Amino acid sequence: DQLTYYCNNASKILAPRELPLHLLRHKRSTLHYVPRGVVGIISPWNFPFVIPMADVFAALVTGSAVVVKPSEVTPLTMQKAKEVFDATGLPEDLFGVVYGKGDVGQALIDSGIQKLVFTGGVETGKRVAAACGAQLVPCVIELGGKAPLLACSDCDIERTARAIVYGGFQNSGQVCISVERVYAHETVHDKLVDRVKQLTEELRQGDPVADTVDVGAIIFAKQIEVANAHVADAVKKGARVVTGGKRRAGPGMFFEPTVLANCDHSMTVMKEEIFGPIVPIQKIGSEDEGVRLANDSHLGLNAYVFSKDRRKAERLAERIEAGSVVVNDVLINYGAAEAPFGGIKQSGFGRVMSDESLREMCDVRHVNADRIASPVDPFWFPYTENSYG
């Protein structure tokens, strides 16, 4: 859909734009969007097709070539994408793929690319941004998330519970905009926890080749260690395991969909990115407390507000520090091709998707010309008593 949107609208989005000038009315200013040349993309392992390919499409549609370095954890997906692209008959050199670890990413930045789009973890993102700064390569840095979900006193409990389960366990929680912490108003907290428990225990986990499976495996083995550490820390500090809480027995890298209650901000599970199938829930006394806790984070990618009063929810959403805030739904904003996606704080900077991010994939040329030809300009020398310099 992203590619279709760009193909249908790029000629309009990237058309030259005339700027109305309020002072220099005798001049005409036009912005032209021209290809940068070569765009580099360093992509993560959790969505090894859709994340890099959305940026590949943006680069190609604007007229640039592109080189992707996929995560060393999931290289085969991009290899297949390259095969599919080459089979279309388009020039093979428009879309290149390089494989390796961090040193290959550094080499890509140093190679003379004109822009970089990076998606990954915070610490790696800082190093990538520094490397781009050293080469003066403009970059988009999309890093981790710690998306809060605020369940207001008047939320629809059934819809909110289903949203928590879907938003927390989609892709086994390996989503940068997963529901990573829930702040439930005390008037709905107990009912919400009970319903989330019921829905979570109905989930079917296993090989996703089967149509009857809801939750698949952990992609990167290290994330099982991270999940175990979060649960252990939370339980040690007073959290209650409502359901799940451990690696599933048997073959494969599966971690049980896990719900934790009695959580608070002393626990890593409420402060640090989980990137696994764990949903921690904290009871709050007011929506204002929920907003304060939602903003008590070094990350700011996505957030969610649930309330039957849509206007109230929108007012609360405007107070939450995140690149995107969704009312009465989860994850859906990533599917809006027209909307910019990206974060604030240590979730990064710059945006992907949307009309404006497509323009930012280009170099902008400002052309300024006379509207009326004249041999004399009022700003030029010589200055006289009757002129204004």
Side-chain angles (χ1 to χ4, degrees), residues 41-44 47-57 66 68 70 78 119 334:
I41 297 170
I42 300 177
S43 62
F47 287 100
F49 180 80
V50 71
I51 289 178
M53 290 308 293
D55 299 322
V56 167
F57 298 152
V66 62
V68 180
M78 198 48 51
T119 306
Y334 193 81

Side-chain angles (χ1 to χ4, degrees), residues 250-265:
M253 296 191 298
F254 294 94
F255 196 90
E256 295 174 343
T258 299
V259 179
L260 302 174
N262 300 340
C263 296
D264 60 51
H265 275 221

Side-chain angles (χ1 to χ4, degrees), residues 58-373:
L60 295 177
V61 165
T62 57
S64 290
V66 62
V67 178
V68 180
K69 190 206 87 66
S71 168
E72 63 273 20
V73 178
T74 54
L76 298 181
T77 301
M78 198 48 51
Q79 178 177 311
K80 177 57 67 175
K82 171 65 172 166
E83 292 173 8
V84 172
F85 181 90
D86 290 347
T88 66
L90 291 167
E92 293 183 8
D93 289 345
L94 282 179
F95 173 26
V97 183
V98 293
Y99 302 97
K101 297 185 178 182
D103 58 329
V104 176
Q106 180 68 59
L108 178 61
I109 295 170
D110 294 340
S111 68
I113 58 173
Q114 283 75 51
K115 181 166 183 171
L116 181 83
V117 181
F118 172 83
T119 306
V122 173
E123 294 309 313
T124 304
K126 291 177 180 179
R127 294 194 295 271
V128 168
C132 288
Q135 300 292 337
L136 292 182
V137 173
C139 58
V140 174
I141 303 292
E142 198 272 278
L143 308 179
K146 189 65 184 170
L149 185 148
L150 175 56
C152 297
S153 59
D154 61 346
C155 71
D156 181 320
I157 291 177
E158 182 66 16
R159 180 169 180 84
T160 306
R162 290 186 176 276
I164 290 169
V165 172
Y166 175 71
F169 303 131
Q170 169 66 257
N171 202 36
S172 209
Q174 298 160 116
V175 185
C176 59
I177 55 176
S178 285
V179 174
E180 287 236 346
R181 48 195 172 120
V182 175
Y183 301 106
H185 194 279
E186 58 188 6
T187 58
V188 297
H189 174 272
D190 293 351
K191 290 182 180 179
L192 189 63
V193 170
D194 288 344
R195 187 58 179 143
V196 168
K197 176 182 185 294
Q198 293 168 3
L199 293 170
T200 300
E201 292 178 346
E202 292 173 4
L203 294 174
R204 299 155 299 181
Q205 188 175 40
D207 186 343
V209 170
D211 293 336
T212 56
V213 166
D214 303 306
V215 180
I218 297 296
I219 298 167
F220 190 22
K222 181 181 177 182
Q223 293 306 121
I224 292 181
E225 299 174 16
V226 172
N228 279 327
H230 279 306
V231 172
D233 176 80
V235 170
K236 179 181 178 181
K237 295 174 180 175
R240 173 172 63 91
V241 177
V242 176
T243 188
K246 62 185 183 302
R247 180 172 183 167
R248 200 183 76 171
M253 296 191 298
F254 294 94
F255 196 90
E256 295 174 343
T258 299
V259 179
L260 302 174
N262 300 340
C263 296
D264 60 51
H265 275 221
S266 70
M267 304 168 186
T268 63
V269 77
M270 295 296 286
K271 299 287 285 184
E272 299 175 9
E273 188 172 31
I274 303 167
F275 227 65
I278 301 173
V279 172
I281 302 175
Q282 179 170 346
K283 183 188 292 188
I284 57 172
S286 69
E287 277 96 18
D288 285 342
E289 181 186 7
V291 171
R292 178 180 63 78
L293 291 169
N295 291 340
D296 181 21
S297 175
H298 65 292
L299 300 173
L301 188 57
N302 251 46
Y304 309 104
V305 178
F306 279 75
S307 168
K308 292 177 183 177
D309 184 340
R310 194 177 306 164
R311 289 297 304 138
K312 180 182 84 171
E314 290 175 356
R315 289 194 299 271
L316 289 168
E318 291 171 6
R319 295 168 55 194
I320 296 177
E321 298 165 356
S324 297
V325 185
V326 182
V327 172
N328 291 332
D329 207 340
V330 290
L331 310 185
I332 194 67
N333 58 298
Y334 193 81
E338 301 88 346
F341 180 83
I344 61 174
K345 302 182 180 178
Q346 291 191 30
S347 286
F349 51 84
R351 296 294 183 267
V352 296
M353 302 190 292
S354 80
D355 297 4
E356 201 55 43
S357 69
L358 193 64
R359 294 188 185 105
E360 290 177 1
M361 189 63 81
C362 302
D363 279 328
V364 181
R365 307 276 173 83
H366 171 214
V367 176
N368 183 268
D370 288 322
R371 291 187 180 278
I372 302 171

